[in-house]
Amino acid sequence: MRVLVIGNGGREDAICKKISESKKLTKLYCSEGNAGTLRYAENVKLKSNDEILDFAEKNNINLVIVGPEVPLCEGIKDKFDNTNIKVFGADKESAKLEGSKDFAKEFMLKYNIPTAKYETVTSKSEGEKVIKHFTYPLVIKADGLCAGKGVKICQNELEAKEYLKELFEEKIFGQEGTTAVIEEFLEGKEASLLCFVSDGNLIPMESARDYKRIYDGDKGENTGGVGCYSPNELFNEDLKKSIKPVLEKISYGLKQENLAYSGILFIGFMIKNNEPKILEFNVRFGDPETEVVLPRMESDLIDVIEKSIEGTLKAEDLIWKKDKCMTVILTSKGYPLKYEKGKEISGIENVDEDIYVYHNNTEFKNNKILSAGGRVLSVTALGSDFEEMRKRIYKNIEKINFENKTFRKDIGIIK
C-alpha cells in the first residue's frame, strides 16, 4: 500500500513510524515532514489541498492520513470524494467540532453531553453583559482554531473585559475571533482520550495525560503540550463506566447530525469525583498524546485505519502492549512566546537503545538537524514503571544538545 501522511510535527513522526512497521506498506510519503520522518518516509513539499490531491493521483497513493486540524477544517477530505483514494480524517462539516467552539458546544448541549455551561457572544458589549452571569475564574474561547492560542482563563472582571477588547476591537485572531464562547471554569484533573471513529462509532484507544503549562508545577503560559504519559491513572474502572454513556451519546449525535466520519476524535475531559465533563473536541490525533499512545499499540495501524474507513472497526481490533509510555518535550527557550529557530541539534545518535526520540519541529539542512519551532524533540520511553522511565528519559536528555534547550523537570511525577 502506498501511503501519504500530511503534517510536519511530532504527531506525524509518530504516525509515520507506526505506519512504517506495517507489512502492508510499500511506499510512504510525508508532506511536509521533518528531519525525523526522513527515517521512514520520503518528504515532499505540498503547499495546498489541491497540490496534495494532484500528487496523490499522480503517485498512485492508496491512503492519505491527515495529521493537523487546518487541512481538515479546510475540507481536504471532501477534495477526494470523487476519487478511489481513501482519506482517514473528518470531512469539512464534521471538522467544525474542532474548528468552531460554538458548534461543538451546541452539539454537546443538543445531545445532553456533559460540559461546562456557556454562552456565545459576537461583540465586546454583548460579552461584557454575559460575563455578569458567571463567577470567576471564567473561560473565554475564541470560536475558531487560532493556532491553539484562543483560550483565556480570566481571574477577574478586568481580565475578562481586556480579553474581550483584544478579540473584538483589536482583532488579535482576525476572523477566527469574531465569535467567542464564554463558559464556566471547571475544576478537577484533565484527561485525554483518543478514539478511532468508524462510520460514527467511537472505539477508544488507551488514555493519556499531557502537560500544557510551560513551567514546572503547571505554571506559566499554556502550550501545545510539553510532556505526556499513558495510561492516565484517572482511568480506573469506575471512570470508564462513567465515560461509556458519554461516548454513546457522542456517537448517537454524530449519526443524527450526519457527521458520522471515519477518522479520529480526541476528547479532552475534566474529571472531578470520577465524573467526566468535556472541555474540547479535536478531530485528529493529539500532540503529544500520539507520541505515547501509538508506541503502546500492537495492532497494525494501516489495518486499523482501513477497517475504520470501511465502518467495520471493533474494540477487539485494537491490541495494546502492557507497557506504559512517557515523553518529555525539549523546547526552544521562550516558547510558547518568542523563540529562535535554526539551532543545530547534536547527540540524538547517542541516546540509549531503549529511548526513542520523535521530532516535533526540525529540519534537515546541509547535513545538519536544526530546530524549526517551539517544540523541538520528544524524548520517549516504554516501560512498566513511570518512575523508572522518568530516570531513563532525563538521563538521556542530557545527551541531546541545542542552544537554549529547555524542558520541564517534573513530567511523570504521579501524585
Side-chain angles (χ1 to χ4, degrees):
M1 177 169 282
R2 297 170 67 83
V3 179
L4 171 62
V5 174
I6 307 299
N8 65 349
R11 162 184 51 220
E12 289 75 32
D13 194 14
I15 292 170
C16 283
K17 183 179 188 300
K18 186 63 181 172
I19 289 291
S20 74
E21 297 166 1
S22 171
K23 293 179 181 178
K24 294 186 174 183
L25 182 71
T26 56
K27 177 66 178 179
L28 179 59
Y29 296 95
C30 188
S31 175
E32 293 183 0
N34 57 39
T37 59
L38 283 171
R39 292 174 287 188
Y40 1 81
E42 180 181 336
N43 288 351
V44 290
K45 289 195 174 184
L46 307 172
K47 296 293 185 182
S48 67
N49 289 347
D50 286 329
E51 284 188 23
I52 291 167
L53 173 60
D54 184 59
F55 177 88
E57 290 183 322
K58 288 180 178 177
N59 289 273
N60 300 313
I61 299 299
N62 307 111
L63 173 64
V64 177
I65 302 170
V66 187
E69 63 274 20
V70 173
L72 293 169
C73 291
E74 289 176 347
I76 187 171
K77 166 67 171 64
D78 310 67
K79 286 272 183 187
F80 285 81
D81 281 352
N82 295 319
T83 73
N84 292 321
I85 302 168
K86 298 175 182 177
V87 178
F88 185 66
D91 59 21
K92 189 172 185 178
E93 186 67 17
S94 302
K96 287 182 181 178
L97 289 166
E98 177 169 3
S100 169
K101 309 292 191 303
D102 180 55
F103 182 89
K105 296 294 276 191
E106 282 189 5
F107 175 83
M108 286 186 265
L109 185 67
K110 183 173 182 179
Y111 292 98
N112 196 28
I113 297 164
T115 188
K117 72 173 185 177
Y118 79 103
E119 294 186 50
T120 300
V121 300
T122 56
S123 69
K124 177 174 174 284
S125 58
E126 186 182 5
E128 288 180 345
K129 292 176 183 175
V130 165
I131 59 175
K132 297 182 186 301
H133 304 161
F134 293 83
T135 57
Y136 290 92
L138 60 77
V139 183
I140 302 178
K141 299 178 178 179
D143 184 58
L145 292 173
C146 306
K149 298 176 181 177
V151 178
K152 177 80 171 180
I153 299 172
C154 303
Q155 301 296 332
N156 52 55
E157 185 178 5
L158 184 65
E159 285 187 14
K161 287 184 175 180
E162 180 60 31
Y163 191 55
L164 290 168
K165 179 182 176 182
E166 290 175 2
L167 288 177
F168 294 112
E169 292 185 356
E170 298 174 11
K171 301 187 184 300
I172 58 172
F173 296 117
Q175 286 297 115
E176 292 184 345
T178 54
T179 299
V181 169
I182 299 173
E183 63 179 42
E184 68 173 320
F185 177 81
L186 294 178
E187 294 183 338
K189 292 185 177 181
E190 290 191 39
S192 308
L193 186 64
L194 286 163
C195 299
F196 284 100
V197 187
S198 181
D199 197 27
N201 296 310
L202 271 59
I203 298 93
M205 300 184 219
E206 287 291 284
S207 62
R209 185 226 163 157
D210 77 327
Y211 293 74
K212 290 292 187 189
R213 302 279 186 167
I214 188 63
Y215 298 129
D216 289 6
D218 287 329
K219 295 177 182 177
E221 297 281 341
N222 264 325
T223 70
V226 290
C228 197
Y229 61 78
S230 173
N232 190 313
E233 71 280 5
L234 296 177
F235 273 72
N236 55 34
E237 290 305 312
D238 287 341
L239 181 59
K240 289 177 182 178
K241 288 178 183 177
S242 297
I243 284 177
K244 185 179 179 182
V246 176
L247 299 184
E248 290 171 350
K249 288 179 180 180
I250 295 170
S251 178
Y252 176 76
L254 292 177
K255 294 171 183 176
Q256 290 295 113
E257 299 296 317
N258 293 317
L259 303 174
Y261 66 95
S262 290
I264 296 292
L265 185 68
F266 169 103
I267 308 172
F269 287 104
M270 183 65 78
I271 311 295
K272 187 176 182 180
N273 299 326
N274 250 17
E275 290 298 320
K277 288 189 177 182
I278 292 178
L279 294 171
E280 63 175 349
F281 290 133
N282 296 153
V283 292
R284 35 81 187 184
F285 281 104
D287 189 346
E289 289 87 355
T290 307
E291 288 95 305
V292 296
V293 171
L294 285 188
R296 299 185 61 212
M297 181 185 283
E298 288 276 16
S299 310
D300 183 313
L301 184 55
I302 289 181
D303 187 48
V304 169
I305 287 174
E306 283 189 301
K307 288 181 179 179
S308 174
I309 293 171
E310 292 164 1
T312 61
L313 187 66
K314 306 294 182 186
E316 52 266 30
D317 294 318
L318 302 185
I319 303 168
W320 301 98
K321 300 173 184 175
K322 292 181 180 179
D323 281 342
K324 302 170 184 177
C325 191
M326 183 182 298
T327 193
V328 177
I329 298 183
L330 308 186
T331 56
S332 302
K333 186 178 180 181
Y335 173 77
L337 304 175
K338 189 176 180 180
Y339 55 86
E340 295 180 341
K341 304 178 184 179
K343 304 299 183 183
E344 184 177 356
I345 302 167
S346 63
I348 296 176
E349 69 280 3
N350 297 325
V351 301
D352 296 341
E353 289 185 3
D354 57 1
I355 294 291
Y356 198 82
V357 181
Y358 291 109
H359 290 234
N360 295 80
N361 282 287
T362 62
E363 64 173 336
F364 190 70
K365 191 174 182 180
N366 299 324
N367 289 318
K368 297 178 180 178
I369 298 175
L370 306 176
S371 65
R375 294 188 294 174
V376 182
L377 300 169
S378 295
V379 185
T380 310
L382 283 164
S384 60
D385 180 78
F386 280 130
E387 185 56 32
E388 185 271 336
M389 281 189 287
R390 286 190 77 251
K391 291 176 181 177
R392 282 196 283 133
I393 288 171
Y394 282 108
K395 172 189 168 188
N396 279 274
I397 282 174
E398 295 175 7
K399 301 177 182 180
I400 302 170
N401 293 291
F402 57 90
E403 188 179 336
N404 292 327
K405 173 186 80 176
T406 59
F407 56 93
R408 277 183 60 162
K409 315 294 192 301
D410 63 345
I411 304 300
I413 297 176
I414 313 298
K415 297 179 180 179

